[in-house]
Amino acid sequence: MQRKIKIMYISSVIAPFVKISGLPDVARALPKAIKNMNHDIRLFTPKYTAINERKYTLREVIRLKDIDVTFGNKKMKANVKSAFLPDSKVQVYFIEKEGYFNNIENPANPPIQEGSVDQAEQVVFFNRSLFEVLKILHWQPDIIHCNDWQTALIPLFLKTLFKDDSFFNKTKTLFTIHNWADQGVFEKELLPLIDNSETMFYPDGPIEFQAKINFLKTGIVFSDIINTVSKSYAKEAQRSNELSYGLRPILRKRANDFYGIVNGIDYTVWNPETDSLIFHQFTSKDLSGKIANKKNLVESQGLKFDENKPVIGTNVRLADQKGLDIIIGALDKLMKLDLQYIIYGTGDEKYRQIFQTAIKKYPGKLRLILKHDDQLIHQFAAGCDLFLIPSRIEPSGLDQLYSLRYGTIPIVYATGGLSDNVKNYDPLTKRGYGFVFSEYSPEALAATTKGAIELYHDKNIWNKLIERAMKLDFSWDSSAEKYVKLYNTLVT
Ligand code: GLC
């Protein structure tokens, strides 16, 4: 029998408490899958003031009150609240401190922002407090599983401040990197807040990168093992400076301890047969509900509904690496096709303006939705015919999985998790369930979309494509097993 592993899973954002897609979704679904494999996994996250305590039944933990946390020359107190992930037995511990974690004004923005010392102090506090919490809990995890730069000081503290502390002498770390663009980069003025760090800050030193403190690098250097969220991206990041946002040389040094495990999705949340966030539930055998969803979606955007006109969606942060340059480059060509196109996302002002202008040029065909709303993401997955995801860099990506589950066929650029997940439709063998282009250009994007739309009008083939897509299994089970295998390489 497999040994029960104790895993402390730490994420700065966890759905449904905080919902900005990507990491929070993973931080909800993966621990659930690991718990189902009978391991003792517990979640730790900041208690943002915006988290609704009543709705999620957060309770105070009496013995975890007024915990002393000291770092630099600061002496602070932490409180801990606890709740369960909805519909599960996974316990979540929320670290609370008065005056901290109160900056979620727009949930689409990462709650802990980069760059300012105030924010950095909150991250240091959060990371440092967890060691005290564990001690009072008397819970000695075998594995501390950290995610992204907001948790990256934990492996450092474990290997420096707590190196000789017998409480942690069996504890190992896994660091998962989802977002490579945000690295937690700070000026060296921050050093006094990170105990014992002065000696590690020098050119090419363990916490230094390009003359700044770099949290992501620190996590890579001090963790026992590291992974990212797809096999393809793990290769790309080691191959290219651009794709790794400059961290390639650091990664290469850890090549033997660096893995790729692709994300899954939680089918209890993403299921068109039961999803209460969509207008009409449906199955692969009866797609009438999908068509009704399309009508709702299109009309809610002020477009005219036509059952036979393909609706393409893109749900994207309006940022460079998400492929907006080639969408914009291809827009005139796309707009010549008989389709409707709805882009959904928030982000860079420059992109907003470009799309606002384009909408005026193509009023009956193009729409831009500038807000972040969980329900709309579900309605989008259900109501579109095709989903265009042309990211230049995509460590994993979840939209392709959500859309496949709802019979919405993805058009993707062959990168990272998109290559791992989407198989190109081959007209000869009739295999595959998506459209993949491997040259990053507006021309390739437009040509692939044109081909997809031609096929869309062949209802025989198209319905088979939908059926195949909806039957695919991208549940977390197989990826959760891979994580447990990684844990097992560390536990003794
Ligand atoms: C980041 C990545 C994305 C991934 C998500 C969850 O947002 O950019 O590709 O799906 O994290 O792992």
Side-chain angles (χ1 to χ4, degrees), residues 213-232:
I213 301 173
N214 185 307
F215 280 39
L216 208 66
K217 171 179 171 175
T218 306
I220 295 174
V221 170
F222 287 97
S223 298
D224 292 304
I225 44 182
I226 309 121
N227 83 296
T228 190
V229 282
S230 68
K231 269 208 158 85
S232 300

Side-chain angles (χ1 to χ4, degrees), residues 170-358:
K170 287 217 167 103
T171 303
K172 302 282 196 240
T173 47
L174 166 63
F175 185 42
T176 302
I177 308 176
H178 305 256
N179 182 347
W180 292 73
D182 297 335
Q183 301 183 357
V185 176
F186 298 96
E187 300 297 333
K188 66 173 194 302
E189 281 62 46
L190 193 71
L191 287 173
L193 279 186
I194 309 172
D195 292 318
N196 294 348
S197 61
E198 271 93 352
T199 56
M200 288 178 276
F201 188 83
Y202 53 87
D204 285 333
I207 68 172
E208 189 270 1
F209 193 61
Q210 296 166 346
K212 307 247 166 117
I213 301 173
N214 185 307
F215 280 39
L216 208 66
K217 171 179 171 175
T218 306
I220 295 174
V221 170
F222 287 97
S223 298
D224 292 304
I225 44 182
I226 309 121
N227 83 296
T228 190
V229 282
S230 68
K231 269 208 158 85
S232 300
Y233 188 74
K235 284 190 202 134
E236 289 162 10
Q238 289 183 81
R239 206 176 53 221
S240 147
N241 250 329
E242 186 209 345
L243 297 181
S244 64
Y245 295 88
L247 289 174
R248 175 177 180 266
I250 319 296
L251 272 182
R252 301 286 303 179
K253 288 196 194 133
R254 299 294 322 264
N256 288 337
D257 304 310
F258 180 53
Y259 299 84
I261 302 179
V262 77
N263 288 332
I265 57 172
D266 183 343
Y267 283 143
T268 61
V269 179
W270 297 92
N271 181 353
E273 294 180 28
T274 54
D275 190 338
S276 57
L277 298 178
I278 60 177
F279 292 108
H280 310 274
Q281 283 81 37
F282 61 98
T283 67
S284 62
K285 293 274 168 275
D286 177 3
L287 293 171
S288 53
K290 182 164 177 65
I291 297 165
N293 282 312
K294 171 170 165 176
K295 184 167 189 297
N296 278 101
L297 175 71
V298 165
E299 289 178 349
S300 71
Q301 293 313 311
L303 294 170
K304 200 162 160 273
F305 170 68
D306 173 349
E307 188 180 331
N308 294 315
K309 197 186 286 280
V311 173
I312 305 193
T314 292
N315 168 19
V316 75
R317 226 170 354 115
L318 303 181
D320 290 329
Q321 77 269 21
K322 294 295 178 185
L324 285 157
D325 50 345
I326 58 171
I327 295 183
I328 289 162
L331 208 53
D332 286 332
K333 281 201 178 113
L334 291 179
M335 291 295 115
K336 288 206 180 88
L337 303 171
D338 189 25
L339 52 75
Q340 290 167 330
Y341 185 25
I342 309 176
I343 301 174
Y344 172 82
T346 52
D348 289 3
E349 185 55 34
K350 72 171 178 194
Y351 289 120
R352 287 185 197 202
Q353 284 176 8
I354 295 174
F355 285 118
Q356 306 281 21
T357 312

Side-chain angles (χ1 to χ4, degrees), residues 22-23 26 148 178-179 229 263 317 322 393-398:
L23 174 57
V26 172
D148 280 351
H178 305 256
N179 182 347
V229 282
N263 288 332
R317 226 170 354 115
K322 294 295 178 185
I393 303 177
E394 194 63 83
S396 180
L398 297 168

